[in-house]
Amino acid sequence: MTFFQLLCIVLGVLLLASGWALSYVTRGRVRTVSTLVLIAVDLVALLAFFLGGKHPEWHLADHAGVPDALQVLTVVFMAQVVLVTLVVAGVLVRWGYRHRPGRRKGFLFPSTPFDPSRRRLLKGAAAFPVVAFGAGFYGEAIERNRTVVREYSVPVRSLPDSVQGLRIAQLSDVHIGMFYPLERLEKLLEKTVAQKPDLIAITGDLFDDDHINAEAAALLGRFTDRVPHGIWFVLGNHEHFRNLPRTLDALKETQVHLLVNRAEAVEGVENLWIVGTDFPMNRNKEIFQKDKAMMAEKAFEHVPEDAVRIYLGHHPESIDDGAAHGAALTLTGHTHGSQFGVLGMPVFPVFKYTRGFVHIGGSTGYVHSGNGSWFPCRIGCPPEIAVFTLRQA
C-alpha cells in the first residue's frame, strides 16, 4: 500500500466520522454546508499532497514563513480529528450519565419519550467546533514551531576526567522537505550550537526530500567547525526512501561523521567512542530484530572494552542493543514522541519505547521527540533539542 493510498483511506474514514460528529453539533442547513465544506477540503488536501510530491516548487520549503494552502488544510484536518474526539467523549459521558447504576425515574429524573431533534445536540456542543479549530491552529502554527531545549545530566560509571562534563546535543527526525525548509534547519542548528555542546548527534530522518537533500548536507557541513568535536550522524528509514546514494555522496563532501555500522573514537577525548548503525529496512519483525542485532554487533566489534560508549541508532529499540553492548548512553528517535501528548506522556505509545528515558542496568537510553514531522502538527509534544551532560556516577 502506498502512502497516497493510505492517506486516501485515512481521510475517507475521517470524513465519515466528521459527518457523524456534525450530526451532533449542527442541524439543518448549517450541517449540510459544513459537511460539503469538509468534503471539499479533504479532496483539496489529497490533491495538494499528491501534487506536492510532483512539484517541488510548491513545497513549503520554498515559501518559508508564508501561509500556505497546506498549512490551512492541516488546521482543518486537525480540527476534524479534535471534533470527532470531543463528540465521542461527549456521547460516552452522556450515555454513562443516562445509564448510571441506581438512576431513579420520577420528579428529578423524568422518563421522556425519545425525541431525535432534542437528543441530537450535546450540551455545549456549539463550542466544540471552536475548540476543535483552536486546537488545530495551536498544533500547526504554534507548538510545532516552538523548539524547546531540555538539559539532562547522565551518570556514567568509571568516567575519565577528559569526558567529565562533556555535553552532547541531540537532534532527530528533522524531515527536511515539504514542512521543514532549509531556512528553518539553519535556525535549528544555530540554536543548537548556542547551547555550547561538545558534539552534536543527529539520529536519523534528517534528509527527506531529494530536491534539497544535497543542500541540507552542505548546510550541515558548514556547522561542523562550530562544534569542538563535530557533528555525528546515523541513517534513518527516510534516508533510504529519498535517493540514499545521492545523500551519501553529498555527506562525503563534508566533515560530518557518518556512522553506518561502525564506531569511531572522538579525537582529543580520552577513550570516548561514538558507535552508530544503519536502519534495518526489512518489515518482517523477526528479520528486522535479527538485522538490528547484527548491525549493532558489527558496529561495536572493535570498540575497546574500557571505552565510554555512546551509541546512536534511529529505532528506539536500539536502546536494548546499546545496553547489551555496554553503552553508557544510547540516543534514538523515529517515534516523534508520538507528536501528541498529555502531561508529558505520549497519546500514541505504539512503540516499545516512545518518548524520554529508558534505564537498563547501568545503561541509559533516550527516545527523542523529533524536530520535524511527517504531519505538521504537535500538541503536548513540542520539538526539542536534548542536551546531555556526562557526569561521574
Side-chain angles (χ1 to χ4, degrees):
M1 181 181 294
T2 67
F3 175 76
F4 185 69
Q5 290 171 330
L6 179 62
L7 184 62
C8 289
I9 293 173
V10 169
L11 285 178
V13 171
L14 182 60
L15 182 59
L16 291 174
S18 299
W20 169 81
L22 284 172
S23 69
Y24 277 88
V25 300
T26 59
R27 284 188 286 188
R29 182 175 298 178
V30 174
R31 176 187 175 189
T32 301
V33 172
S34 300
T35 303
L36 291 176
V37 168
L38 287 182
I39 292 174
V41 168
D42 287 345
L43 289 175
V44 172
L46 282 174
L47 184 64
F49 275 103
F50 178 74
L51 293 179
K54 301 292 185 180
H55 298 276
E57 68 272 14
W58 294 357
H59 287 189
L60 294 184
D62 300 316
H63 306 284
V66 179
D68 188 279
L70 282 179
Q71 292 174 300
V72 176
L73 293 171
T74 298
V75 172
V76 175
F77 179 88
M78 278 309 304
Q80 289 178 251
V81 173
V82 175
L83 176 63
V84 171
T85 303
L86 289 174
V87 171
V88 168
V91 170
L92 290 176
V93 169
R94 187 178 66 175
W95 184 89
Y97 176 78
R98 290 179 175 176
H99 295 81
R100 65 191 184 282
R103 179 192 176 193
R104 296 178 300 168
K105 296 181 180 180
F107 179 74
L108 292 178
F109 303 98
S111 178
T112 56
F114 175 72
D115 183 351
S117 65
R118 290 184 61 186
R119 296 178 65 176
R120 266 301 187 210
L121 294 178
L122 295 172
K123 185 177 181 180
F128 284 16
V130 176
V131 173
F133 274 96
F137 176 81
Y138 170 79
E140 197 284 331
I142 299 176
E143 183 167 314
R144 82 176 184 96
N145 296 310
R146 286 187 174 177
T147 300
V148 299
V149 178
R150 295 192 171 107
E151 293 265 0
Y152 302 110
S153 180
V154 179
V156 180
R157 299 170 184 169
S158 304
L159 193 67
D161 291 340
S162 61
V163 187
Q164 175 75 23
L166 185 117
R167 290 167 59 80
I168 302 171
Q170 183 193 8
L171 305 175
S172 192
D173 299 272
V174 175
H175 291 283
I176 191 76
M178 182 176 290
F179 301 118
Y180 211 104
L182 288 171
E183 295 86 348
R184 189 172 174 187
L185 174 61
E186 184 172 13
K187 291 179 181 178
L188 174 64
L189 292 170
E190 288 284 0
K191 187 170 184 176
T192 304
V193 169
Q195 309 312 311
K196 300 187 183 305
D198 293 293
L199 65 86
I200 296 175
I202 304 177
T203 49
D205 281 6
L206 168 61
F207 304 100
D208 203 9
D209 189 332
D210 190 38
H211 299 101
I212 57 175
N213 282 348
E215 294 179 69
L219 174 60
L220 191 65
R222 292 198 291 273
F223 279 82
T224 54
D225 291 338
R226 298 177 59 182
V227 187
H229 299 296
I231 297 176
W232 304 70
F233 177 72
V234 293
L235 300 172
N237 52 314
H238 279 252
E239 275 81 23
H240 286 272
F241 298 152
R242 309 294 185 187
N243 196 344
L244 179 59
R246 184 179 178 186
T247 299
L248 295 179
D249 287 341
L251 286 171
K252 289 177 182 177
E253 301 298 320
T254 73
Q255 298 300 312
V256 174
H257 298 267
L258 174 63
L259 300 178
V260 182
N261 305 328
R262 70 182 188 90
E264 187 177 329
V266 178
E267 188 176 351
V269 181
E270 179 189 353
N271 221 16
L272 176 64
W273 285 68
I274 310 296
V275 185
T277 50
D278 196 355
F279 188 90
M281 293 300 290
N282 197 301
R283 294 188 177 184
N284 180 281
K285 185 175 181 179
E286 292 185 4
I287 297 176
F288 178 92
Q289 293 293 340
K290 182 179 178 181
D291 288 347
K292 182 170 64 68
M294 289 176 60
M295 289 176 179
E297 184 73 30
K298 180 180 179 181
F300 280 94
E301 186 176 7
H302 300 295
V303 180
E305 287 294 328
D306 62 343
V308 176
R309 305 170 177 204
I310 307 299
Y311 180 36
L312 311 181
H314 183 62
H315 197 278
E317 290 182 32
S318 295
I319 291 172
D320 294 332
D321 300 305
H325 290 279
L329 176 64
T330 300
L331 302 179
T332 69
H334 189 56
T335 69
H336 299 197
S338 92
Q339 288 193 205
F340 299 89
V342 177
L343 300 177
M345 301 297 294
V347 172
F348 307 109
V350 296
F351 293 88
K352 182 179 180 180
Y353 311 125
T354 302
R355 184 193 300 184
F357 281 101
V358 178
H359 299 283
I360 303 176
S363 181
T364 299
Y366 189 79
V367 186
H368 196 277
S369 292
N371 296 102
S373 58
W374 40 260
F375 180 74
C377 186
R378 286 174 174 267
I379 298 177
C381 184
E384 67 172 337
I385 298 170
V387 182
F388 307 90
T389 301
L390 304 186
R391 303 290 187 191
Q392 181 66 48

